Amino acid sequence: MKPFPNSTPMCGARSRSVIAGIVLALSSTACIYSFHGGGLPPDVRSMAILPFDNQTPNPELQTELLDEMRKTLESRLGVHEASEDHADAVVRGTIIRYDIDIPIGYSATSNNQPVTGARRKLELVVDVDIVDQRTGKTLFTRKGMVADGEYAERAESDGRGQALKKLVSDMVEGAQSQW
C-alpha cells in the first residue's frame, strides 16, 4: 500500500485548528446535557424537610440537623422548600446514634502530670429517605449513614458542626448520584 502523495504528519497551525475544531464540537454537544433540580428528577421542584426523629439524649441535634438540611439541600439540589402537603418530595429520617468524646490525640505535660486528651472525635449516625410524594418512589435512602467530626476538648459543638455538614453533603451527593 502506497502512502498518499504529499502526506505529512499534521503539525503547526493545521493541527491546532483541527484540535480546536474537535474541542469546539465536543463542547457544543456537552451543553445538551444538563441537570435540572440538581440531580433529582426534573419534576421534583419542591421538597419538605421534616425534623428527624431523635433517638439520642441530645435534644439540640434535631434542630441543628434540620437547620443544616434547610440551608444546604435547597441550594445544592435546586429545589425550594414547601410544606409536606404541597411538596413534590419529602426528606425524613431518624438520628440513630451520637457518640462523643472518642479520644484521637493526646498531649502530655511535663513534671510527671497525667496524660490528657487534646483532640476528640464524635460520630453521628442517621437513617434518611427522600421520597417522591406523587409516585411514592424512593429517590434516595441510606440506613446507618455515618459522619464524624473532630474537636478540641470542651469544644464539642465544633465537631458536631463538622459532622452535620458532612452528613448533609453526603445526602446531597447520594441523591444526585441516583440520577
Side-chain angles (χ1 to χ4, degrees):
M1 193 167 169
K2 286 183 164 184
F4 286 87
N6 298 328
S7 64
T8 59
M10 289 196 325
C11 60
R14 184 174 170 206
S15 65
R16 283 191 295 272
S17 65
V18 170
I19 292 171
I22 292 170
V23 169
L24 180 62
L26 290 174
S27 66
S28 66
T29 60
C31 295
I32 294 171
Y33 302 101
S34 66
F35 291 104
H36 177 75
L40 295 174
D43 55 339
V44 174
R45 292 182 282 277
S46 62
M47 186 175 285
I49 303 169
L50 305 179
F52 279 28
D53 294 332
N54 188 358
Q55 297 180 351
T56 74
N58 188 325
E60 298 93 32
L61 277 176
Q62 186 182 47
T63 303
E64 291 175 5
L65 178 57
L66 181 63
D67 290 345
E68 186 64 33
M69 286 191 307
R70 283 184 169 150
K71 183 172 63 175
T72 306
L73 290 179
E74 288 183 61
S75 63
R76 289 193 49 203
L77 288 177
V79 296
H80 66 274
E81 189 172 3
S83 68
E84 186 175 6
D85 295 339
H86 296 97
D88 298 325
V90 65
V91 180
R92 60 174 57 97
T94 305
I95 303 169
I96 303 296
R97 192 176 78 233
Y98 182 62
D99 291 332
I100 60 169
D101 210 27
I102 303 166
I104 58 170
Y106 296 96
S107 64
T109 58
S110 59
N111 302 334
N112 297 325
Q113 296 293 323
V115 175
T116 58
R119 297 287 301 162
R120 302 272 181 203
K121 181 172 97 168
L122 59 80
E123 287 185 341
L124 179 60
V125 181
V126 301
D127 292 345
V128 63
D129 294 299
I130 302 176
V131 178
D132 185 324
Q133 292 210 110
R134 291 160 312 188
T135 65
K137 182 178 179 182
T138 300
L139 302 174
F140 174 72
T141 187
R142 183 79 40 91
K143 304 297 180 211
M145 180 179 272
V146 179
D148 61 16
E150 293 184 16
Y151 60 98
E153 285 188 274
R154 295 178 292 282
E156 176 189 338
S157 63
D158 294 344
R160 187 170 56 244
Q162 289 173 22
L164 291 168
K165 284 181 188 330
K166 287 179 189 177
L167 193 66
V168 174
S169 183
D170 289 349
M171 285 180 204
V172 168
E173 291 170 10
Q176 289 176 330
S177 71
Q178 300 298 309
W179 303 97

